[in-house]
């Protein structure tokens, strides 16, 4: 869409600052189109090269994105301002957030009392008890666990790994469709995204090969519970991907196994298959609580040194109060049983919706995890249509780069008994949408 905001400036820096102020202040919202380079240059009386330089700076900082013939637009989650996702409308069931069912999350009980810290934790950043539990967690699935460390969540970890490994302008291979926060983070770091198609078994080998040949220096992927499509590596797919990666030994492979304990799928990890440069990050948000901003990281020696070296220069360490809370939960037998029940329930709920949609002739994807990906022709029409029936689902645009339109349904809190009603409402909305397109 065209914007009415008047961009000003006579230098690239001034033009970029003008756009940034507008985005931060809300005058230019997500998706707002910036004028074509030559038109803005003519309007400001400057050279097109100056405008192009300003747009390049804005892209490198994650404020705008370029969509080929679609022009340059404000990013869906620009790296300025303090906007948050819109609140769920009243009177509808939220199936859009990607969150776990609180009924399967344990009560968080931080240790008490907490003694004052004498000085800094930089000399001993990790609790020995949690470090050992973390090693066991990775080793359970065959991931090498000789070197582990901690971070403030998956995105914090991935952002640190990419920023220490790559320089602005370098390319990163990412899943398409993929995790929307990652798709916002990569350009915010000044990096370029190279999309890699995924299916029910995760990354498509030939698409990965094309991305690596195009110069991608790092790969971020999910071995199971892929968000939003639910793909999971089979043994055969993992081996095929390893065959591709063998030809690119310098690429850093980052696996985000964010819902390892509730994915409903076995682990066939690239990290466990033997790579020269690799990292796997796991969080506890999906099975222990979204307020636990903690992640475990297993990786090769070089990657560990770079990650921890950068952390020492910034936050220094993860709160030991938080570490003790996580350690107690990971070691608790009752919590382990609760997590096992959660995985069973999430699998049942996901399969129930896919089955009900299939009975109505609607194809859907969701081989693992807590989301179902449903291809549709018109995302907005479907989102608004199912909202009128009392459901709130996520439009696929925020997860896609080049893949076809779809919507994401989070099934973590969708009881099997409700799946038939949602599928029926979905079919009704699709029918109305197709009628508008002429069938």
């Amino acid at each position: 869409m065209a914007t009415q905001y008047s961009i000003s400036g006579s230098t690239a820096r001034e033009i970029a600052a003008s756009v940034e102020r507008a985005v931060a202040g809300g005058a230019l919202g997500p998706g707002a189109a910036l004028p074509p380079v030559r038109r803005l240059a003519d309007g400001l009386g400057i050279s097109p090269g100056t405008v192009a330089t300003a747009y390049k700076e804005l892209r490198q900082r994650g404020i705008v994105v370029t969509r080929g013939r679609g022009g340059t637009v404000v990013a869906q989650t620009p790296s300025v301002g303090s906007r948050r996702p819109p609140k769920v409308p009243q009177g509808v069931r939220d199936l859009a957030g990607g969150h776990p069912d609180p009924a399967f999350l344990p009560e968080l009980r931080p240790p008490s009392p907490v003694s004052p810290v004498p000085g800094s934790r930089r000399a001993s950043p990790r609790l020995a008890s949690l470090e050992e539990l973390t090693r066991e967690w990775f080793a359970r699935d065959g991931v090498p666990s000789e070197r582990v460390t901690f971070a403030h969540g998956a995105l914090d970890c991935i952002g640190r790994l990419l920023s220490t490994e790559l320089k602005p302008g370098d390319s990163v291979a990412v899943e398409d469709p993929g995790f929307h926060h990652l798709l916002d983070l990569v350009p915010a770091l000044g990096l370029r995204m190279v999309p890699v198609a995924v299916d029910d078994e995760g990354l498509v080998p030939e698409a990965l090969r094309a991305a690596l040949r195009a110069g991608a220096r790092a790969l971020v992927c999910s071995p199971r519970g892929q968000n939003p499509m639910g793909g999971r590596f089979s043994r055969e797919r993992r081996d095929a991907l390893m065959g591709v990666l063998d030809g690119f030994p310098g690429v850093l492979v980052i696996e985000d196994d964010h819902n390892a304990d509730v994915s409903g799928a076995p682990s066939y990890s690239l990290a466990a298959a033997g790579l020269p440069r690799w990292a796997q990050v796991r969080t506890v948000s999906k099975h222990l609580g979204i307020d636990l901003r903690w992640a475990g990281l297993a990786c090769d020696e070089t990657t560990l040194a770079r990650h921890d070296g950068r952390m020492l220069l910034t936050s220094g360490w993860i709160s030991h109060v938080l570490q003790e809370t996580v350690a107690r939960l990971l070691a608790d037998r009752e919590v382990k049983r609760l997590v096992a029940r959660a995985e069973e329930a999430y699998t049942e709920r996901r399969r129930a919706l896919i089955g009900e949609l299939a009975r109505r002739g609607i194809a859907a994807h969701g081989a693992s995890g807590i989301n179902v990906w449903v291809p549709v022709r018109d995302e907005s029409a479907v989102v608004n249509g199912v909202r009128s029936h009392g459901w709130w689902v996520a439009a696929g645009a925020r997860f896609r780069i080049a893949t076809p339109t779809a919507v994401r349904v989070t099934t973590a809190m969708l009881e099997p008994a409700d799946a038939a009603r949602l599928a029926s409402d979905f079919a009704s909305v699709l029918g109305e949408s197709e009628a508008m397109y002429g069938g």
Side-chain angles (χ1 to χ4, degrees):
M1 63 180 178
T3 177
Q4 299 300 314
Y5 177 79
S6 180
I7 298 173
S8 61
S10 58
T11 67
R13 179 172 295 181
E14 290 173 350
I15 294 168
S18 174
V19 173
E20 181 174 350
R21 285 194 300 271
V23 174
L28 288 176
L34 271 59
V37 168
R38 290 190 177 278
R39 183 191 305 169
L40 180 58
D42 290 343
L44 296 176
I46 58 177
S47 73
T50 300
V51 176
T53 299
Y55 282 12
K56 179 180 179 181
E57 178 182 340
L58 292 166
R59 283 196 303 272
Q60 289 179 337
R61 295 177 51 217
I63 298 173
V64 303
V65 295
T66 298
R67 295 176 174 171
R69 294 182 178 179
T72 300
V73 302
V74 177
Q76 286 300 311
T77 308
S79 59
V80 295
S82 58
R83 284 181 295 276
R84 293 292 184 263
K87 292 183 178 179
V88 178
Q90 292 185 350
V92 298
R93 287 190 58 182
D94 181 11
L95 304 179
H99 303 307
D101 186 343
F104 292 111
L105 298 177
E107 183 179 80
L108 302 184
R109 297 182 179 181
S112 180
V114 178
S115 300
V117 176
S120 170
R121 299 284 196 191
R122 290 178 188 271
S124 55
R126 296 183 292 276
L127 284 178
S129 59
L130 183 54
E131 189 168 353
E132 182 58 32
L133 287 166
T134 302
R135 293 184 195 281
E136 294 174 0
W137 194 19
F138 284 108
R140 179 194 69 189
D141 293 317
V143 177
S145 57
E146 293 82 7
R147 302 177 185 89
V148 299
T149 189
F150 306 155
H152 297 92
L155 284 173
D156 170 74
C157 181
I158 294 171
R160 190 174 295 110
L161 293 174
L162 292 176
S163 64
T164 58
E165 183 74 19
L166 309 180
K167 63 181 184 299
D170 284 345
S171 297
V172 181
V174 297
E175 297 166 328
D176 184 20
F179 183 35
H180 57 295
H181 290 310
L182 177 68
L183 302 188
D184 294 329
L185 174 64
V186 171
L189 294 174
L191 304 173
R192 299 177 181 273
M193 292 189 294
V194 183
V196 180
V198 297
D199 58 21
D200 290 337
E201 293 185 79
L203 296 168
V204 175
E206 286 310 309
L208 175 60
R209 190 188 308 277
L212 298 180
R213 284 177 172 171
R217 293 189 54 202
L219 163 67
V220 183
C221 62
S222 298
R224 52 186 169 178
Q226 194 270 348
N227 186 1
M229 198 169 179
R232 79 286 182 267
F233 292 164
S234 63
R235 189 189 304 275
E236 294 75 19
R237 176 60 59 85
R238 189 270 310 274
D239 293 346
L241 293 171
M242 284 298 298
V244 173
L245 290 165
D246 284 343
F248 301 88
V251 171
L252 173 62
V253 177
I254 304 172
E255 286 189 312
D256 180 7
D257 199 4
H258 61 281
N259 60 5
D261 287 43
V262 292
S263 66
S267 174
Y268 295 108
S269 167
L270 295 169
L275 289 166
R277 296 298 314 284
W278 65 276
Q280 186 181 103
V281 57
R282 293 184 175 186
T283 65
V284 294
S285 298
K286 291 293 188 289
H287 70 284
L288 296 183
I290 60 174
D291 210 31
L292 290 172
R293 311 309 298 165
W294 177 88
L297 170 68
C299 55
D300 66 85
E301 184 176 11
T302 298
T303 301
L304 179 73
R306 292 177 178 177
H307 176 276
D308 283 5
R310 179 63 61 87
M311 177 171 277
L312 282 171
L313 295 174
T314 53
S315 60
W317 69 91
I318 309 300
S319 161
H320 279 215
V321 176
L322 175 59
Q323 289 190 45
E324 181 65 32
T325 302
V326 174
R328 292 185 180 190
L329 291 169
L330 289 177
D332 190 297
R333 292 182 179 179
E334 284 300 320
V335 171
K336 291 179 180 179
R337 283 192 279 269
L338 180 63
V339 172
R341 292 200 299 272
E343 183 172 39
E344 293 175 359
Y346 293 156
T347 299
E348 180 184 17
R349 294 171 185 182
R350 185 183 69 250
R351 289 175 176 172
L353 179 59
I354 292 174
E356 291 293 346
L357 289 171
R359 276 188 275 277
R360 292 161 177 80
I362 303 171
H365 303 273
S368 62
I370 61 174
N371 298 302
V372 170
W373 184 250
V374 190
V376 298
R377 182 178 293 180
D378 186 329
E379 294 177 1
S380 296
V382 172
V383 169
N384 291 325
V386 296
R387 176 183 177 180
S388 69
H389 288 274
W391 311 98
W392 185 243
V393 301
R398 60 197 298 207
F399 306 95
R400 299 184 292 102
I401 301 175
T403 50
T405 50
V407 297
R408 190 192 73 172
V409 184
T410 299
T411 56
M413 289 183 280
L414 183 69
E415 295 283 354
D418 294 327
R421 183 165 66 88
L422 172 58
S424 178
D425 292 339
F426 209 103
S428 176
V429 169
L430 286 182
E432 295 171 0
S433 176
E434 290 186 0
M436 292 177 63
Y437 278 95

